[in-house]
Amino acid sequence: MNRFFFLGIWMILTATNLFAQEPLADQLKEKLKSEEFNVSILLQANGYYSSSNEDLANGLYSFAYNGYPEFSKFDIGATRLVLSGTVDHHYIYKMQMDFRGRPSILDAQVGYKFADEFKLIAGAFKPFLSIDLDPNPGKTDIIGRARHVRAMMNTREIGLTALGDIANFNYRVGMYNGTGLSRTGTGKFLYTLRVGYTFNFSESSDLKIGFNAAHDQNEFIPIGNTGLTSTGDRNIFGVFTQYDDDRFFGTFEYQLSGFEAVEFQDDGSITGAFGTLGIHVTDKTDVLGRWDYLQLDNTGEPGTDDSSLYILGVNHYPTQLIKLQLNLLYLTEVDNSNRFGMAANMQFQF
């Protein structure tokens, strides 16, 4: 019954045509967006349906682990306010807050732009460890992110990053506490590296390739949100490619994290991969599919735990400030029953 409810809401929303001129949106941009002071707002209203109304939160590969709740419900998604800009003498700043529950700071960074080839930023921000972590929640292809993002890493770190673009190359080199936003220092650090290259085929067509690598020296800290604890010297390596043109778009990423876990008393690894293929049906509507793979391997015990999540999605943009999303979800697990779910998102982003 719930699934038809979600489909009905989706049909009603997408049937509303708001393709006329948008003077109010233009006025907002004129008043609140400039190089020196840029205001951004993101509000999301979500709805979820799960075919298995049971507590899935204890399973590593449940919908809950992927950012979906274990039960059918309504929810609010990202509720963000961002202030950013470039001020005199090439200094840059950004502050981002989330207002779900108690207000919290996600980004607090100050930096200096020496040139396009070299910028330095310090504070709290994303650690450039996954191509699927890069976009803000309002810009993602699906509702949520690839599961390996939260399995392998903290989505925010406190530290220092040097980054820049040199012709078609780009790089990000970082040094962080490795303890997320906790502001806890251990005297050991997380080191990260990303190198990428962009092939520009035309003004509207490009292909990006690159790799991520990281080494975390910290001992006895959580490994993402898997519930596992690293004994230290944990490594992450990954490769990615991303394509976009007027008609088609797609992304692929493979990530591997090797570690020794306190719970295993032996070496273990997490493998994650996802592939997205989509088509711009119109300038207002995208249709896409995603395969999301996640595997936990404890080499001290026989066998592995793995799962695949298949997602069929529709993204619709009735205005330049409103986005509607519908995801159909099918989760397959080793030695467990398969599950079906749905997720819907209606958002305002400015």
Side-chain angles (χ1 to χ4, degrees), residues 35-42 80-87 91-97 105-112 119-128 133-137 139 145 155-156 163 349:
E35 181 182 7
E36 65 276 7
F37 185 70
N38 191 328
V39 179
S40 298
I41 299 172
L42 174 60
R80 307 280 178 87
L81 173 65
V82 185
L83 306 177
S84 62
T86 302
V87 293
Y91 285 95
I92 55 181
Y93 69 92
K94 179 180 179 181
M95 182 181 72
Q96 179 172 195
M97 297 186 67
I105 294 177
L106 298 180
D107 294 289
Q109 58 180 267
V110 179
Y112 186 80
K119 292 184 288 186
L120 198 63
I121 56 175
F125 44 88
K126 295 178 181 179
F128 301 106
L133 179 59
D134 289 354
N136 70 62
K139 300 292 185 181
R145 302 188 190 274
T155 58
R156 294 294 192 284
L163 65 160
Q349 185 169 35

Side-chain angles (χ1 to χ4, degrees), residues 125 158-162 173-178 188-192:
F125 44 88
I158 299 175
L160 184 70
T161 291
V173 182
M175 179 179 178
Y176 310 93
N177 288 339
K188 298 184 178 182
F189 298 95
L190 165 68
Y191 300 93
T192 68

Side-chain angles (χ1 to χ4, degrees), residues 44-349:
Q44 293 183 326
N46 303 146
Y48 300 97
Y49 164 77
S50 174
S51 63
S52 178
N53 244 355
E54 59 186 58
D55 186 3
L56 308 179
N58 293 325
L60 180 61
Y61 309 113
S62 68
F63 286 148
Y65 190 75
N66 187 48
Y68 300 100
E70 60 270 29
F71 301 106
S72 301
K73 69 172 186 177
F74 294 104
D75 200 359
I76 57 173
T79 308
R80 307 280 178 87
L81 173 65
V82 185
L83 306 177
S84 62
T86 302
V87 293
D88 297 323
H89 307 295
H90 309 292
Y91 285 95
I92 55 181
Y93 69 92
K94 179 180 179 181
M95 182 181 72
Q96 179 172 195
M97 297 186 67
D98 189 280
F99 292 89
R100 284 177 294 184
R102 298 179 60 182
S104 59
I105 294 177
L106 298 180
D107 294 289
Q109 58 180 267
V110 179
Y112 186 80
K113 181 179 179 180
F114 295 87
D116 290 338
E117 294 79 11
F118 182 68
K119 292 184 288 186
L120 198 63
I121 56 175
F125 44 88
K126 295 178 181 179
F128 301 106
L129 275 177
S130 170
I131 194 71
D132 207 48
L133 179 59
D134 289 354
N136 70 62
K139 300 292 185 181
T140 56
D141 292 332
I142 65 167
I143 304 169
R145 302 188 190 274
R147 293 179 294 165
H148 69 260
V149 171
R150 299 185 186 279
M152 294 186 187
M153 63 198 71
N154 298 316
T155 58
R156 294 294 192 284
E157 292 284 0
I158 299 175
L160 184 70
T161 291
L163 65 160
D165 301 312
I166 305 173
N168 286 33
F169 286 95
N170 63 81
Y171 69 91
R172 281 90 174 100
V173 182
M175 179 179 178
Y176 310 93
N177 288 339
T179 55
L181 291 176
S182 68
R183 298 166 53 204
T184 301
T186 66
K188 298 184 178 182
F189 298 95
L190 165 68
Y191 300 93
T192 68
L193 171 67
R194 174 187 291 180
V195 176
Y197 186 86
T198 302
F199 298 91
N200 295 312
F201 302 119
S202 67
E203 291 185 0
S204 59
S205 175
D206 61 64
L207 174 68
K208 299 176 182 178
I209 60 172
F211 72 89
N212 306 300
H215 177 70
D216 191 351
Q217 299 176 325
N218 286 279
E219 300 176 349
F220 305 110
I221 62 169
I223 301 172
N225 61 1
T226 62
L228 302 176
T229 306
S230 172
T231 61
D233 292 321
R234 184 167 68 96
N235 297 306
I236 299 176
F237 179 79
V239 294
F240 64 86
T241 182
Q242 191 171 57
Y243 177 79
D244 192 21
D245 65 23
D246 289 334
R247 189 64 172 169
F248 300 101
F249 61 94
T251 306
F252 173 80
E253 181 172 64
Y254 170 86
Q255 295 263 74
L256 175 65
S257 178
F259 52 87
E260 181 177 323
V262 173
E263 292 79 6
F264 295 162
Q265 292 298 311
D266 206 336
D267 293 335
S269 66
I270 300 173
T271 302
F274 78 91
T276 300
L277 289 176
I279 182 172
H280 302 297
V281 179
T282 70
D283 59 348
K284 298 285 187 179
T285 304
D286 297 334
V287 176
L288 60 122
R290 171 175 286 199
W291 164 72
D292 181 327
Y293 176 77
L294 188 62
Q295 177 193 76
L296 172 64
D297 181 14
N298 172 16
T299 56
E301 296 180 0
T304 62
D305 293 322
D306 61 5
S307 71
S308 290
L309 177 65
Y310 300 92
I311 303 173
L312 178 64
V314 179
N315 299 333
H316 181 64
Y317 305 84
T319 80
Q320 58 181 299
L321 301 181
I322 300 296
K323 179 182 181 181
L324 309 174
Q325 290 180 286
L326 179 65
N327 289 174
L328 304 181
L329 315 166
Y330 184 68
L331 181 69
T332 64
E333 300 179 278
V334 173
D335 299 328
N336 206 333
S337 59
N338 300 333
R339 302 182 179 104
F340 170 79
M342 297 173 60
N345 173 49
M346 182 176 185
Q347 77 173 35
F348 167 87
Q349 185 169 35

